[in-house]
Amino acid sequence: MPKKKESNAEGAKKSQKEKAPLRTKGAKGALAKTKEKTEQERPTPELQPQIGTEEHKPVQDDFYIAAIGASAGGLEALEQFFKNMPPDSGIAFVVIPHLAPDHESAMPELLQRYTKMEVVEADKMAKVIPDRVYVIPPNSDMTILQNRLHLSRPSKTRGYRHPIDIFFRSLAEDRMEKSIGIVLSGTGSEGAVGLRHIKGEGGLALSQDLKTARYSGMPESAIGTGVVDKVLPPENMPEFLLEYIKYNHPLEERKKQGEEEAEKGEDNLRKIFGLIRSRSGHDFSLYKRNTIQRRIEKRLAIHQMKNVSDYIKYLRSNPHEIDALLKELLIRVTGFFRDRDAFEALRQKVLPDLCRDMDKDEMLRVWVPGCSTGEEAYSIGILLRETMEEMDTFFNVQIFATDIDEASIGIARRGIYPDTISADVSPERLEKFFRREDSSYRVRNDIREMLVFSVQNLAKDPPFRRMDLVSCRNVLIYMNTKLQKRLIPVFRYALRPGGILFLGTSENIGEHTDIFTPVDKKWRIFKAKGEKERLGTELLDIGYLPHKEPVKEERAPEPKTPTTQGISEEVEKLLLDHYSPSSVLVNERGHIIYFFGKTGNYLEPSTGRATLNISEMAREGLKLELMSAIRKASNSKNDISVVGVQVKQNGDYRTVNFRVKYVKKPESLEGLMMIIFEEPRVHEGKPGSRRKQDSKKAAQDIAELEYELKSTKEHLQTTVEELETSNEELQSSNEELQSSNEELQSTNEELETSREELQSLNEELFTVNTELQEKNEELTRANNDMNNLLASTEVATIFLDRDLKIQNFTPSTKDVISIIDGDVGRPVGDLASKLDYPGLVDDVSEVLDKLVRKEKAVRHQGGRWFRVRMMPYRTVDDEIAGAIITFMDITELKNTQEALQEALIDQCVLQSVPEPLLVLDRNLRVVRANEAFYKTFKVKPAETEKKFVFDLGNGQWNIPALKKLIGGITAEDESFKNYKVELKFPGIGRKKMLISGKKIAEGDNTTGMVVLSIRDVTERG
């Protein structure tokens, strides 16, 4: 039962809190964390779990895992991807970039900027949880088993490795339809093979759009496999993934439906099967329902449809979607030496016995049905070649490899595979049996010539005969029990007595133990029993007559299996209807089904192994015309007549006519063709009179013809001799060219190997360069911030190294010291200083020696003051790399201090005078008064300071004459002395006073001030 999404999210959060390792912030922390991981912590390849073995039980969790492969230019694509991926998607992400093995990667820190999900470097046995990003560590291969990540040391520390394909393959086998493979920007072809495994297990395959990829090698190779479900820019992939998961309903939900809904679902499947049959001729009604339904569910999710009925309407209006669905159903997971131990068992237990019994003139025949793109067939060819070399016995080998998919057969025929096959093929085999071409490998001719590829529907087309080995691996698992039971006897029919049947690890012969005996039960190798188990020696007995494919959208009726006796009666009736004494019944491939009459004048057995193919049995002169007529009749479904064919019989040529009749009725023979041979009738002409010929003229004509014939023969002989000479010269030249070509090929292979190494190094360097570029951008931003900060403070600063040479300085420094940009690198003592500071160099040296801090106020030549501060320059590693000198302008502060000092002195003088004093500003307001004034006139400072002098008290001081005297001081700088006044003050009484006034000497803060002194002379009278 699938878990609810809410409970999954809660569990993920809880798991993150309880089990997630603490991350160290910053690149420095990530690098330190990487250093802590030693090679001993990582399990060796021998300790790794074997993916795909019987012990492997995939864990069925309810969340998806998306593996993202990227190489050169991939960081930009990853940035766009994660910027648009919400942090609560419920998907776990595993990022596999190409990393240099000896470079500490900062990839987790770089990706963390673009997502709110936690980004961690993958650790051994780390359990994968949703909404987290895992990044493969440097110098590691990674697999996943039972939802845990496993790290191992790669077999090669340098050279072209395949970490992306390795993880894609293990993810497909562990998560099946819950796996997602994404290929982003990168060079080479890695990821293509891994995507085929993901697609084969029902997972989703995505590739970056070539227009948006900085390097298109990896996306182009992925798209070229034909398995990619969607090609998108990275920024659009998150939205598509979320919609895909939303609409991709698990198969378990379908099983909850009632019987009525289940019957409706079965009816929908029949309709889809009918549409596929109408479009391609292939019938999938005998394939396993669960497999078919999962593939259909996936197409619904891709097109964001909720029910199958809508999808059927879409199929009817879009025939290209039928092709896409057919391609989805035909996907096969294959590879070179897949299940390596199984092929090793075949090499050790089977092939030596097969090769030991073969003579050099005999041919060992192998049939590989369901060969897909040919890797399995080529693997068997390689094993046979190695076995023959080990046993020092050589003979002809013919491997017939067939598949229902024409596109796959086309790939197999070319024999060109991406360089990622090096993960499955050993370096020795790559060098011996493959030829490197650009970023791919081509199968060498000695192996390619063993194989014949053809399109064949295993469920309805006739099998091959007299095979020594039939290898049908991982094909039967897609078929239901009924079809499997039907095909096992077919394989026995195809094998000679003692022949070998090689099945996949999940397949078996079932109840057919009477016709096969096991050789290796674990790896599903069986031997065919002897001829006493006949199984029916005729092809007709196992139901391989062609039949008309139904085109209606309904269940196809069970194919009829007519008996030999019934066929005989139908054929004889047909022949009697056409009065044909010498005829044969053949299918569209030319295989003879039935003989009637004496056909020896037209057909004869061929030399070698027995065959019933009409192209092999036709007498000289008849073969080409027969095959051409059969093709025409098969394509047009009409009768074809051919007259005047010269056929060699008993050393002479006879004229023969024949007809190819396309059989439409009876229904049991529909699709076959009847070839009816006829001898042309000889028409005797009427006797007539013969004219006499001039014997002399006749003799002359004969002589001329003989001479012309002789000349022609001589000319022909000369031409033939010249041609033979030219051929010998060309042959010699050809041999020289072949020798040169082999040398060039050897040189090319060496160059390819070097190029492969350089390509790998280039990708690693590109990844390192991208990370360094990111760090450089960070450093640039930090440097800009620092420069702007220093400039905004307007603090002159000089940075010195340990030799007191200038390393850098701020722009404000030019106002303090005569310095220019060209002075960088010069000793600071060489500069012409504008400061009165001769001990600058000595003080800086002392700071470096004693690691102390120094400050000093210094006067500038322009009259300004600067505080010079010196301190050691410490790096982040707490190392002393030099010194820093800052110059802070303190002129205003200095002036303020001096003014305060003067004011303090003035205040002290003012308070020491025993007579009352008033200090007025230019506006004649009281600035301050001394203590004697406050005591004499019994007033408070608040009543006096900042008041207009003539408003003090009750206006007693407002005397016109006094006003004039004080005004004269401020205006004309005139002073007065002992001006006598008599005033009455409340609470004091009448007082007689002598007032003197004088202007204070001008300073920065005293301009226009006046001081009044008051002498009390009341007592004197």
Side-chain angles (χ1 to χ4, degrees):
M1 297 293 290
K3 299 178 181 178
K4 293 182 180 179
K5 186 173 183 181
E6 291 81 359
S7 61
N8 177 50
E10 293 173 1
K13 291 179 180 178
K14 182 178 179 181
S15 178
Q16 286 181 4
K17 291 180 180 179
E18 295 177 355
K19 301 182 179 181
L22 294 176
R23 295 185 69 254
T24 306
K25 294 183 179 180
K28 182 179 178 182
L31 299 181
K33 180 180 176 182
T34 305
K35 289 179 179 178
E36 292 175 359
K37 296 183 179 181
T38 63
E39 293 295 335
Q40 288 74 18
E41 288 180 321
R42 299 177 183 169
T44 59
E46 291 77 15
L47 299 178
Q48 287 301 297
Q50 296 296 315
I51 303 299
T53 61
E54 291 180 342
E55 294 77 14
H56 172 213
K57 304 294 183 184
V59 178
Q60 298 296 330
D61 289 354
D62 61 346
F63 66 92
Y64 288 78
I65 296 180
I68 307 175
S71 180
L75 188 58
E76 299 173 6
L78 288 168
E79 174 184 350
Q80 295 301 319
F81 179 88
F82 283 110
K83 274 185 176 179
N84 293 275
M85 176 59 70
D88 56 351
S89 64
I91 307 173
F93 299 92
V94 181
V95 180
I96 311 103
H98 278 163
L99 300 173
D102 52 358
H103 177 72
E104 296 171 337
S105 174
M107 185 65 72
E109 281 65 38
L110 297 176
L111 294 182
Q112 188 66 75
R113 302 179 195 162
Y114 314 129
T115 178
K116 294 181 180 179
M117 292 182 285
E118 185 179 10
V119 183
V120 298
E121 189 174 77
D123 209 343
K124 70 171 185 176
M125 296 301 291
K127 185 175 181 180
V128 179
I129 61 176
D131 300 325
R132 181 178 287 184
V133 183
Y134 300 85
V135 181
I136 186 173
N139 196 29
S140 299
D141 285 337
M142 185 165 64
T143 57
I144 184 171
L145 179 64
Q146 296 181 346
N147 209 31
R148 289 188 180 275
L149 298 176
H150 298 264
L151 301 176
S152 62
R153 285 189 294 270
S155 56
K156 295 189 294 184
T157 57
R158 286 291 182 186
Y160 203 77
R161 293 168 41 228
H162 310 286
I164 299 173
D165 279 319
I166 290 172
F167 187 80
F168 276 13
R169 181 180 300 183
S170 70
L171 178 66
E173 294 172 345
D174 193 68
R175 304 294 291 182
M176 296 185 293
E177 66 269 12
K178 294 291 185 181
S179 61
I180 300 172
I182 303 174
V183 172
L184 299 180
S185 171
T187 60
S189 60
E190 221 206 326
V193 173
L195 281 187
R196 290 183 60 186
H197 285 268
I198 288 176
K199 187 67 177 285
E201 295 293 347
L204 180 68
L206 300 180
S207 174
Q208 183 175 355
D209 189 351
L210 299 181
K211 296 179 181 178
T212 64
R214 189 168 181 182
Y215 293 91
S216 61
M218 283 173 52
E220 189 172 8
S221 297
I223 296 170
T225 62
V227 303
V228 174
D229 294 303
K230 207 77 172 176
V231 178
L232 296 167
E235 59 268 23
N236 295 346
M237 288 181 180
E239 181 181 2
F240 175 80
L241 284 178
L242 296 177
E243 292 298 319
Y244 172 79
I245 294 173
K246 176 182 176 182
Y247 285 93
N248 194 15
H249 303 292
L251 185 63
E252 287 76 8
E253 293 185 12
R254 301 287 182 183
K255 293 180 180 178
K256 297 178 183 178
Q257 299 172 343
E259 293 183 2
E260 182 178 350
E261 289 295 323
E263 180 61 31
K264 182 180 178 181
E266 186 67 24
D267 183 60
N268 286 333
L269 284 179
R270 286 196 292 268
K271 292 178 181 179
I272 292 175
F273 292 153
L275 290 170
I276 295 175
R277 279 197 304 270
S278 300
R279 177 76 173 173
S280 66
H282 300 317
D283 184 10
F284 285 90
S285 60
L286 295 179
Y287 281 61
K288 288 183 178 178
R289 284 293 191 268
N290 287 356
T291 302
I292 298 296
Q293 192 168 2
R294 279 199 300 266
R295 303 301 168 94
I296 294 175
E297 297 276 0
K298 180 180 174 183
R299 297 306 301 175
L300 262 69
I302 290 174
H303 293 290
Q304 300 174 15
M305 297 180 180
K306 290 187 176 180
N307 57 72
V308 182
S309 301
D310 293 340
Y311 185 61
I312 292 174
K313 294 177 183 178
Y314 183 74
L315 286 173
R316 286 172 175 158
S317 58
N318 295 274
H320 293 298
E321 177 59 22
I322 299 178
D323 298 335
L325 177 59
L326 177 62
K327 186 180 293 186
E328 187 84 41
L329 298 176
L330 292 178
I331 288 296
R332 298 290 183 268
V333 182
T334 187
F336 284 95
F337 304 99
R338 189 183 178 204
D339 297 330
R340 191 177 301 275
D341 292 340
F343 276 92
E344 185 63 23
L346 180 72
R347 190 185 71 85
Q348 293 181 0
K349 299 182 179 181
V350 174
L351 297 186
D353 293 336
L354 289 180
C355 296
R356 191 177 295 111
D357 298 334
M358 299 297 298
D359 295 332
K360 64 177 183 178
D361 296 330
E362 289 185 304
M363 177 177 290
L364 189 146
R365 292 160 59 85
V366 180
W367 179 27
V368 185
C371 70
S372 188
T373 48
E375 289 93 331
E376 179 183 333
Y378 285 119
S379 298
I380 293 176
I382 290 172
L383 289 180
L384 282 169
R385 174 65 67 182
E386 290 177 342
T387 304
M388 286 189 289
E389 291 175 355
E390 289 175 3
M391 300 179 65
D392 196 23
T393 177
F394 297 93
F395 46 84
N396 294 325
V397 175
Q398 189 74 70
I399 302 175
F400 301 93
T402 62
D403 196 89
I404 195 174
D405 186 10
E406 293 186 11
S408 296
I409 289 296
I411 296 173
R413 282 174 177 156
R414 288 193 293 273
I416 300 175
Y417 298 94
D419 51 14
T420 50
I421 65 171
S422 60
D424 299 320
V425 185
S426 66
E428 295 77 17
R429 283 173 173 164
L430 281 176
E431 182 179 359
K432 186 174 183 179
F433 300 111
F434 294 85
R435 186 172 67 249
R436 185 66 187 246
E437 293 183 357
D438 296 329
S439 59
S440 59
Y441 286 100
R442 179 189 289 273
V443 179
R444 290 190 180 271
N445 288 337
D446 56 342
I447 301 298
R448 177 63 184 88
E449 291 171 356
M450 292 182 180
L451 286 93
V452 176
F453 294 97
S454 63
V455 177
Q456 182 196 46
N457 189 333
L458 188 60
K460 71 174 185 178
D461 291 336
F464 293 88
R465 288 282 288 139
R466 307 296 295 174
M467 293 290 135
D468 298 284
L469 170 65
V470 173
S471 176
C472 183
R473 307 189 73 250
N474 304 308
V475 177
L476 298 180
I477 56 175
Y478 297 101
M479 302 174 180
N480 63 15
T481 305
K482 182 178 180 180
L483 186 54
Q484 288 183 16
K485 289 181 178 179
R486 179 184 173 190
L487 288 178
I488 295 299
V490 171
F491 295 148
R492 172 61 189 90
Y493 174 79
L495 286 166
R496 64 170 177 79
I500 298 298
L501 175 63
F502 187 27
L503 299 178
T505 54
S506 300
E507 301 166 335
N508 215 326
I509 59 174
E511 61 188 26
H512 298 288
T513 55
D514 56 332
I515 56 177
F516 285 101
T517 181
V519 176
D520 189 320
K521 289 185 178 180
K522 179 179 181 181
W523 299 115
R524 305 296 192 265
I525 302 175
F526 305 92
K527 179 181 286 189
K529 291 186 177 180
E531 285 291 349
K532 62 181 181 179
E533 323 292 349
R534 291 189 57 80
L535 310 173
T537 56
E538 296 291 340
L539 204 59
L540 307 174
D541 292 340
I542 55 175
Y544 270 96
L545 282 177
H547 58 279
K548 185 177 181 180
E549 296 287 354
V551 296
K552 295 182 179 180
E553 297 177 1
E554 57 186 23
R555 186 186 296 275
E558 294 295 329
K560 297 180 180 179
T561 309
T563 62
T564 306
Q565 183 180 1
I567 292 293
S568 176
E569 292 175 356
E570 296 289 355
V571 172
E572 289 177 2
K573 182 178 180 300
L574 189 65
L575 294 175
L576 289 175
D577 290 343
H578 293 84
Y579 307 101
S580 176
S582 301
S583 306
V584 291
L585 185 68
V586 301
N587 64 10
E588 60 183 5
R589 295 181 179 273
H591 293 289
I592 300 174
I593 306 299
Y594 200 87
F595 292 91
F596 189 86
K598 296 180 179 181
T599 58
N601 291 334
Y602 318 105
L603 306 175
E604 65 176 350
S606 59
T607 303
R609 290 183 180 270
T611 178
L612 291 180
N613 192 288
I614 196 168
S615 66
E616 300 293 335
M617 297 185 66
R619 287 184 177 272
E620 185 177 346
L622 188 59
K623 177 179 178 179
L624 295 179
E625 297 292 345
L626 265 178
M627 298 310 296
S628 176
I630 290 173
R631 282 194 298 270
K632 291 179 181 178
S634 177
N635 294 333
S636 65
K637 296 181 174 53
N638 294 321
D639 297 349
I640 303 295
S641 297
V642 180
V643 299
V645 179
Q646 298 296 313
V647 181
K648 188 175 184 179
Q649 298 177 359
N650 301 324
D652 196 5
Y653 285 91
R654 296 179 58 184
T655 302
V656 175
N657 303 335
F658 66 89
R659 284 187 299 133
V660 179
K661 177 176 177 56
Y662 187 84
V663 180
K664 299 180 181 178
K665 292 183 179 181
E667 186 177 356
S668 60
L669 300 181
E670 185 176 359
L672 299 180
M673 285 165 281
M674 179 71 71
I675 302 175
I676 305 167
F677 298 100
E678 300 173 345
E679 296 287 342
R681 297 178 181 178
V682 180
H683 299 279
E684 297 181 357
K686 295 181 180 181
S689 59
R690 303 174 67 88
R691 295 180 180 180
K692 293 182 179 180
Q693 300 290 336
D694 186 1
S695 59
K696 185 177 180 180
K697 187 175 185 308
Q700 183 179 356
D701 290 342
I702 291 172
E704 290 178 356
L705 289 173
E706 289 178 348
Y707 176 78
E708 184 178 349
L709 179 60
K710 182 179 179 180
S711 299
T712 303
K713 286 183 176 181
E714 291 176 353
H715 181 70
L716 179 60
Q717 181 65 29
T718 303
T719 302
V720 169
E721 292 175 355
E722 292 176 354
L723 180 60
E724 289 178 350
T725 303
S726 299
N727 283 341
E728 291 177 359
E729 294 176 354
L730 289 174
Q731 182 67 26
S732 176
S733 300
N734 184 55
E735 291 175 356
E736 294 177 1
L737 289 174
Q738 284 182 344
S739 176
S740 300
N741 184 58
E742 290 177 359
E743 295 177 1
L744 290 174
Q745 185 64 34
S746 176
T747 304
N748 184 56
E749 290 175 357
E750 294 176 1
L751 291 174
E752 285 292 340
T753 303
S754 300
R755 190 188 69 83
E756 178 183 342
E757 295 281 347
L758 290 174
Q759 181 180 353
S760 175
L761 288 173
N762 182 57
E763 291 189 359
E764 294 170 359
L765 289 174
F766 189 91
T767 303
V768 173
N769 182 61
T770 304
E771 295 180 359
L772 292 178
Q773 186 175 355
E774 288 284 329
K775 290 296 182 184
N776 186 53
E777 290 177 359
E778 283 185 14
L779 184 60
T780 300
R781 286 193 295 268
N783 190 47
N784 291 336
D785 294 344
M786 183 60 66
N787 287 336
N788 281 278
L789 175 63
L790 292 174
S792 65
T793 60
E794 296 183 353
V795 176
T797 307
I798 299 178
F799 299 90
L800 306 177
D801 62 12
R802 293 189 63 87
D803 296 327
L804 303 186
K805 292 181 180 179
I806 299 171
Q807 298 298 305
N808 202 351
F809 60 89
T810 60
S812 302
T813 309
K814 297 179 181 179
D815 298 333
V816 181
I817 297 177
S818 299
I819 189 171
I820 60 175
D821 294 338
D823 290 329
V824 174
R826 292 180 58 192
V828 68
D830 293 351
L831 299 181
S833 177
K834 301 177 183 178
L835 298 173
D836 185 13
Y837 193 2
L840 175 66
V841 175
D842 295 335
D843 287 348
V844 175
S845 299
E846 184 181 353
V847 166
L848 286 176
D849 292 339
K850 298 182 180 180
L851 300 181
V852 295
R853 175 173 172 172
K854 279 200 150 208
E855 289 189 13
K856 190 172 184 179
V858 181
R859 186 179 182 85
H860 191 266
Q861 293 177 356
R864 290 184 297 164
W865 285 84
F866 288 90
R867 176 180 289 117
V868 181
R869 178 181 296 164
M870 306 173 190
M871 57 188 300
Y873 182 101
R874 297 179 183 271
T875 66
V876 292
D877 297 325
D878 201 25
E879 294 180 359
I880 306 301
I884 304 175
I885 306 176
T886 59
F887 304 88
M888 186 176 295
D889 192 338
I890 59 171
T891 304
E892 293 184 4
L893 180 61
K894 193 73 172 175
N895 291 337
T896 302
Q897 289 177 343
E898 292 178 354
L900 288 174
Q901 289 175 356
E902 291 178 0
L904 182 60
I905 294 171
D906 291 343
Q907 183 71 15
C908 293
V909 173
L910 187 66
Q911 298 299 335
S912 64
V913 176
E915 297 176 349
L917 292 177
L918 282 176
V919 179
L920 309 179
D921 63 13
R922 66 172 59 189
N923 296 318
L924 302 183
R925 291 184 178 277
V926 178
V927 176
R928 65 175 62 90
N930 66 353
E931 191 67 27
F933 180 85
Y934 294 126
K935 288 182 179 181
T936 302
F937 299 104
K938 297 182 180 181
V939 293
K940 297 179 180 179
E943 299 172 344
T944 306
E945 292 180 359
K946 298 183 181 180
K947 300 293 184 179
F948 191 54
V949 66
F950 301 113
D951 293 336
L952 295 177
N954 293 327
Q956 296 94 336
W957 302 93
N958 190 6
I959 303 171
L962 182 60
K963 268 183 162 185
K964 185 176 180 181
L965 290 173
I966 296 175
I969 296 175
T970 57
E972 300 178 7
D973 201 12
E974 294 181 356
S975 61
F976 65 93
K977 191 173 182 180
N978 296 328
Y979 174 73
K980 186 177 181 179
V981 296
E982 184 176 350
L983 300 175
K984 185 178 181 179
F985 296 95
I988 299 175
R990 188 172 295 275
K991 281 189 176 291
K992 294 179 181 179
M993 297 170 289
L994 297 177
I995 301 175
S996 300
K998 186 177 181 180
K999 191 173 183 180
I1000 299 176
E1002 292 186 1
D1004 292 338
N1005 299 312
T1006 61
T1007 304
M1009 285 188 176
V1010 175
V1011 61
L1012 297 179
S1013 64
I1014 305 169
R1015 184 185 300 175
D1016 187 359
V1017 294
T1018 304
E1019 295 179 357
R1020 294 179 184 180

